[in-house]
Amino acid sequence: MTLNSRSFRLAKSGDSLALARRDGPTPKPGLRQVLMRLGAASLNYRDLLTLQDPNSNGDGLIPLSDGAGTVVAVGTEVTRWKEGDRVSPNFFPDWRGGAFSLAYLARALGGGQTDGVLSDYIVADEASLVEVAAHLTLAEAATLPCAGVTAWHTLFERGALQPGETVLVQGTGGVALFGLQLAHAHGARVIVTSSSDAKLDRARALGAWQTINYRTTPDWEKLAMDYTDGKGVDHILELGGPETYDRSIAAVAAGGSIAQIGVLTGFALRPDIRPLQFRNASIHGICVGSVEHFERLNRFVATHRIRPVIDEHFAFDEAPAAYEHLKAAGHFGKLVVDFV
Ligand SMILES: NC(=O)c1ccc[n+]([C@@H]2O[C@H](COP(=O)([O-])OP(=O)(O)OC[C@H]3O[C@@H](n4cnc5c(N)ncnc54)[C@H](OP(=O)(O)O)[C@@H]3O)[C@@H](O)[C@H]2O)c1
């Protein structure tokens, strides 16, 4: 048997997991499935959490949820795609639209139970795929499925963002920069926090309205109130967790919302949410998004010619180094693995 599909899989290594190269045969698409050749994949903080989880059952799993590639074969009943189409699989292959179901969680790509995209060839259900926007490279498109869709779902599907409203994003990683780019393109005013003045300069070049260094100004919520003339921020993308939540609650506007998205500072979250009632403010729990969300994101990205920010490219065999880069958190935007 020829092993002509390069793959990395997670393999037990002490208390956590490590990446191990395990090539295999090219899979075959079922009746309504598509065989994709990956052009690029991107990393998310979640991939680090999966690798480091001491209780993970991911041994043997192909990691990474986010990729883009080209259709190379289709099952006999496929109607939506043909050879040569450029496509991306949705993070939740089963969440096509409508309300979320807990049943979708187990099939999230590259998570505990379902293989992801760090492989030359994958098969995907035809209805779980979206078309890559024409102006994007496959590397750029590969950054969208988790971070891009999460920011879109938060701001436009749940947040109903309006031009002129204020948005705050925490840090300059994937979700934060998509939040910045999408909201700025829609005419919103975006406040970005970061540990680095150099990254804040780059955020301003992308359209940030105000920037705050959360290392030199730990009580950034006060500055956020000042910048909004004491009104507070309409939409906050809560990415930090324990070290940021109380500040987000203090900075949210009356009638505004906090999107519960991230855990960058850990899991021991015990915020005092009482102030929210006096502001008629909300918390929205967000978990990535549906195929329909992804399609609407792609239309917006195409209309506004948005180009995702890629900090660094890695060759396929350098995937372990890409994880190390993500862990070091020096990146601005996304880290991509190219399948050349
Ligand atoms: N719920 C969902 O659907 C969903 C989807 C995607 C991601 N997430 C979660 O969202 C978070 C962000 O994910 P990501 O992939 O975008 O991460 P990422 O690209 O790895 O972002 C890392 C950046 O976060 C910033 N950061 C760290 N601690 C911070 C703090 N205390 N305050 C503000 N910023 C801080 C740093 O930015 P600076 O260097 O600029 O300081 C760091 O470079 C993660 O917790 C991830 O698990 C959730």
Side-chain angles (χ1 to χ4, degrees):
M1 184 192 299
T2 358
L3 302 181
N4 47 6
S5 181
R6 295 172 301 169
S7 300
F8 276 99
R9 288 187 183 270
L10 301 178
K12 267 273 176 224
S13 169
D15 275 350
S16 63
L17 295 161
L19 289 185
R21 179 83 183 265
R22 299 259 189 281
D23 297 351
T26 302
K28 293 203 179 340
L31 295 181
R32 296 206 177 102
Q33 287 184 320
V34 157
L35 177 68
M36 259 180 83
R37 182 179 167 82
L38 270 293
S42 83
L43 280 78
N44 292 284
Y45 192 76
R46 172 223 194 208
D47 303 310
L48 213 48
L49 296 177
T50 305
L51 194 75
Q52 293 170 340
D53 180 2
N55 305 312
S56 170
N57 57 358
D59 195 13
L61 191 84
I62 296 176
L64 302 192
S65 55
D66 290 12
T70 308
V71 173
V72 290
V74 296
T76 51
E77 291 182 13
V78 166
T79 56
R80 297 183 62 198
W81 309 107
K82 60 179 187 325
E83 221 177 293
D85 286 345
R86 302 193 316 152
V87 290
S88 258
N90 196 45
F91 181 94
F92 289 118
D94 301 329
W95 191 11
R96 310 281 156 80
F100 187 63
S101 159
L102 292 180
Y104 301 153
L105 287 168
R107 291 237 304 145
L109 298 181
Q113 298 171 41
T114 305
D115 278 341
V117 302
L118 194 47
S119 183
D120 278 328
Y121 294 94
I122 63 164
V123 290
D125 296 345
E126 69 161 332
S128 73
L129 296 171
V130 301
E131 188 177 8
V132 167
H135 72 292
L136 297 182
T137 63
L138 288 179
E140 289 168 334
T143 65
L144 290 168
C146 180
V149 172
T150 298
W152 171 265
H153 180 190
T154 300
L155 291 169
F156 293 87
E157 307 284 345
R158 298 285 285 284
L161 179 70
Q162 300 299 315
E165 287 188 325
T166 50
V167 173
L168 183 141
V169 299
Q170 297 170 349
T172 55
V175 177
L177 287 197
F178 279 120
L180 165 60
Q181 288 181 289
L182 298 175
H184 174 63
H186 197 55
R189 294 172 292 159
V190 186
I191 303 172
V192 179
T193 71
S194 173
S195 58
S196 151
D197 286 340
K199 289 183 178 182
L200 289 174
D201 285 344
R202 295 176 72 184
R204 267 193 293 278
L206 278 177
W209 171 57
Q210 303 287 354
T211 57
I212 308 173
N213 186 319
Y214 64 81
R215 285 265 160 76
T216 53
T217 309
D219 48 359
W220 50 262
E221 71 282 8
K222 294 184 181 145
L223 218 43
M225 289 304 282
D226 289 348
Y227 288 147
T228 54
D229 298 327
K231 179 175 172 282
V233 180
D234 297 312
H235 305 263
I236 298 182
L237 273 63
E238 223 320 305
L239 303 175
E243 287 176 26
T244 53
Y245 225 105
D246 286 323
R247 299 186 191 284
S248 291
I249 290 170
V252 72
S257 63
I258 295 172
Q260 165 51 39
I261 299 173
V263 291
L264 287 166
T265 66
F267 293 89
L269 185 56
R270 289 177 184 273
D272 177 0
I273 59 173
R274 285 171 303 171
L276 295 179
Q277 81 191 58
F278 302 109
R279 297 177 186 208
N280 282 294
S282 318
I283 296 178
H284 294 166
I286 299 287
C287 198
V288 199
S290 67
V291 172
E292 287 181 0
H293 293 158
F294 198 170
E295 287 169 341
R296 290 197 280 267
L297 164 67
N298 276 341
R299 280 201 288 276
F300 185 90
V301 163
T303 303
H304 294 276
R305 310 289 292 178
I306 289 171
R307 305 209 80 116
V309 180
I310 298 176
D311 190 73
E312 204 162 339
H313 291 258
F314 295 82
F316 186 83
D317 278 327
E318 294 170 344
Y323 273 75
E324 287 306 314
H325 261 70
L326 189 71
K327 193 170 164 191
H331 58 286
F332 180 83
K334 299 295 296 180
L335 301 175
V336 163
V337 175
D338 292 313
F339 287 59
V340 282

